[in-house]
Amino acid sequence: AVNNNISNIHVLQTEKRQLEEEVKGAQSVHDDLQKELADFQTEANELEGIHKDKKDASSKLQLQCEDSEQDLNRQLKQNKTSEELLEHYRCEIEEVKLKHRKLRIRFENQLMQLIEQHKQLDYVFNSKRLPDELKKGEDIKHQLSSAEQVKLAQLHKLDEELEEAKKQKQFETEDAQIHE
């Protein structure tokens, strides 16, 4: 039985050594896993930090995006207002151009009338025509003078006839008084 016990002790010692080897292997695996867990924990912390930074950056970008959108809407509204104002100014410019065109046409017409009047006046008061015009004026003066002489003669004749008629009437009135 002692041999059996020794043999059992040897078997147990062999099993103990194997178990110790397995424990060492398990401890080594445990240490490796612990180290790997620490590395994962560090990496997880780093990733959480990166995630937090990216989330903050995302929030900032979201705010910037909203600000940009508001700026864009404001600029679009301002552009629309500017376009309406520009169209209003274009209309006013067209109205002013039309008024200037009408004024220019009126001025040109007046200028043409003045040029025509100047031509007529130049024709009438041309020094080359002056002797002819003076002769015409003298002729008209003689005609008027002759007509005046004729009218004066007629007037003188009428005066004489009137005096004659007055004398005749007075004579008839005196004759009628005598007969009464």
Side-chain angles (χ1 to χ4, degrees), residues 63-90:
L63 289 174
Q64 287 177 353
C65 186
E66 289 172 5
D67 287 347
S68 295
E69 194 173 325
Q70 288 175 354
D71 284 346
L72 177 65
N73 287 336
R74 188 171 44 253
Q75 285 178 352
L76 287 173
K77 187 176 179 182
Q78 189 175 6
N79 283 351
K80 184 178 179 190
T81 303
S82 296
E83 285 176 4
E84 290 171 354
L85 192 60
L86 183 64
E87 186 60 31
H88 175 72
Y89 287 148
R90 280 187 187 133

Side-chain angles (χ1 to χ4, degrees), residues 13-26:
Q13 283 177 343
T14 305
E15 284 180 7
K16 180 182 173 190
R17 271 186 254 132
Q18 284 178 346
L19 283 174
E20 284 175 355
E21 290 284 325
E22 285 180 19
V23 166
K24 270 188 191 175

Side-chain angles (χ1 to χ4, degrees), residues 14 28 37 48 73 76 81 91 95 100 111 138-139 159 176:
T14 305
S28 175
L37 178 63
E48 276 185 25
N73 287 336
L76 287 173
T81 303
C91 290
E95 286 177 14
H100 283 175
L111 182 63
E138 285 292 324
D139 290 346
D159 276 345

